[in-house]
Amino acid sequence: MKTFILSLWNVVMEHDHNPLKHIPDIQVRHIVLQVLAWMWCIIFAMSTGSITVFGVSAVAHALVISGIVVTVATFQTARIQPNRFVALARGVGGEHD
């Protein structure tokens, strides 16, 4: 059961496993995921007949997806350009150079 749930999670949320992996720009992937999440929020709210459900669900989805996207972007940057974090920590490359 654990493997089944994990594989379902990966198909939806992991950019390496779902069809959105073909979109090279992570920001575009993020927007697409947000639109899909909002669509499901609307469907769920309409099925329950409550606009309040939509608001709560939309905010929750936006927060979760944004957190995942920021984490994935950070991991990709760390893998591809690890020195960006060193420069950031030292204040190099900012507006005040």
Side-chain angles (χ1 to χ4, degrees), residues 1-19 33 60-61 63-69 71-72:
M1 184 64 153
K2 181 181 174 183
T3 305
F4 175 72
I5 292 171
L6 183 61
S7 66
L8 286 178
W9 172 266
N10 286 340
V11 166
V12 174
M13 299 306 290
E14 289 291 328
H15 73 280
D16 289 337
H17 295 94
N18 68 33
L33 275 175
H61 276 86
L63 289 173
V64 169
I65 291 172
S66 294
I68 291 168
V69 168
T71 302
V72 169

Side-chain angles (χ1 to χ4, degrees), residues 12-75:
V12 174
M13 299 306 290
E14 289 291 328
H15 73 280
D16 289 337
H17 295 94
N18 68 33
L20 298 179
K21 67 184 173 189
H22 302 291
I23 301 172
D25 188 339
I26 195 164
Q27 292 174 342
V28 174
R29 271 189 260 161
H30 171 74
I31 291 170
V32 170
L33 275 175
Q34 288 288 4
V35 169
L36 289 172
W38 293 333
M39 176 193 69
W40 283 106
C41 293
I42 292 167
I43 291 169
F44 184 69
M46 290 178 72
S47 69
T48 61
S50 173
I51 193 67
T52 304
V53 171
F54 170 73
V56 171
S57 183
V59 169
H61 276 86
L63 289 173
V64 169
I65 291 172
S66 294
I68 291 168
V69 168
V70 168
T71 302
V72 169
T74 302
F75 288 172

